[in-house]
């Protein structure tokens, strides 16, 4: 394993965790995360930081086929100890690339009525992520509305997200990553097309 994880695990994982908390508390906000990480290509520093911070030996990780074959899967497994999930619906965390993998939110673990937290948190790599006119976000943690734009965006993303949100408290949470930036869409927020 040649790619290193956090140089100072205690300090850097805490910084990444704080960035993730800020992003989930303010849906649509874009936070810097993973600066200084150099994970194997095509894994972005933000996606690596999120998984290195959140996953461990008790949280199964599902990795989409576009990222499974290279060094990225070995890097994440080595540094987190997370077992690889055989299917998306058995994962606590999932990693995919929106340019090369199909996003199917309903294929992931949705949680149960007694344990809604037993759902999958999906980390989705994007080509670009910006706080500009694109999609409008409203709901808990958003003062009025927020706008976010990410690319590529699946053609059916808005309908998938509405189905995901309408199942609340069940459903998945989505972490969008690009380079050293991330934004989070919790299952509780409404996402509509921008004007």
């Amino acid at each position: 394993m040649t790619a290193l994880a956090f140089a100072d695990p205690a300090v850097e994982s805490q910084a990444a965790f704080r960035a993730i908390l800020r992003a989930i508390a303010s849906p649509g906000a874009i936070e810097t995360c993973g600066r200084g990480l150099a994970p194997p290509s095509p894994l972005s520093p933000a996606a690596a930081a999120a998984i290195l911070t959140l996953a461990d030996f008790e949280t199964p990780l599902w990795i989409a086929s576009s990222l499974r074959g290279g060094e990225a899967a070995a890097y994440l497994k080595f540094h987190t100890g997370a077992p690889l999930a055989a299917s998306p619906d058995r994962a606590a965390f999932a990693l995919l690339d929106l340019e090369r993998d199909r996003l199917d939110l309903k294929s992931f673990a949705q949680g149960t009525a007694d344990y809604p937290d037993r759902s999958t948190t999906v980390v989705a790599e994007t080509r670009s992520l910006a706080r500009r006119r694109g999609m409008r976000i409203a709901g808990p943690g958003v003062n009025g509305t927020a706008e976010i734009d990410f690319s590529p965006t699946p053609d059916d993303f808005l309908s998938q997200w509405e189905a995901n949100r309408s199942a609340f408290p069940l459903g998945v949470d989505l972490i969008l990553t690009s380079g050293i930036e991330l934004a989070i869409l919790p299952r509780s927020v409404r996402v509509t097309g921008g004007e």
Side-chain angles (χ1 to χ4, degrees):
M1 179 63 49
T2 57
L4 298 177
F6 295 124
D8 186 340
V11 171
E12 292 178 61
S13 64
Q14 287 176 12
F17 189 67
R18 284 192 300 274
I20 292 166
L21 287 179
R22 285 192 303 270
I24 202 164
S26 300
I30 296 174
E31 295 287 335
T32 300
C33 189
R35 187 185 309 274
L37 277 179
S41 181
L43 190 60
S44 74
I51 293 173
L52 293 174
T53 301
L54 300 173
D56 62 25
F57 68 96
E58 295 182 314
T59 55
L61 172 64
W62 180 80
I63 301 175
S65 59
S66 71
L67 297 162
R68 195 178 311 137
E71 286 186 41
Y75 170 87
L76 293 172
K77 185 165 175 40
F78 177 81
H79 289 296
T80 65
L84 296 181
S87 61
D89 62 333
R90 297 189 175 274
F93 296 98
L95 173 66
L96 58 89
D97 184 329
L98 290 179
E99 278 198 289
R100 298 179 287 173
D101 302 306
R102 183 178 181 283
L103 178 65
D104 181 9
L105 294 175
K106 68 183 180 311
S107 71
F108 296 101
Q110 303 293 305
T112 66
D114 290 336
Y115 299 100
D117 59 318
R118 292 185 180 169
S119 62
T120 305
T121 297
V122 179
V123 178
E125 295 271 35
T126 67
R127 183 174 56 243
S128 66
L129 178 63
R131 186 121 192 214
R132 63 177 177 239
R133 184 167 288 188
M135 294 185 187
R136 183 165 287 152
I137 303 166
V142 181
N143 185 10
T145 61
E147 290 189 313
I148 193 169
D149 184 42
F150 63 93
S151 175
T153 305
D155 292 338
D156 62 347
F157 179 77
L158 292 176
S159 61
Q160 281 198 61
W161 190 261
E162 181 53 28
N164 184 63
R165 188 201 62 81
S166 66
F168 184 83
L170 305 182
V172 304
D173 299 315
L174 183 63
I175 300 177
L176 300 165
T177 60
S178 179
I180 59 167
E181 296 181 324
L182 61 75
I184 300 180
L185 298 178
R187 67 190 85 173
S188 59
V189 298
R190 180 179 302 275
V191 180
T192 56
E195 296 177 1

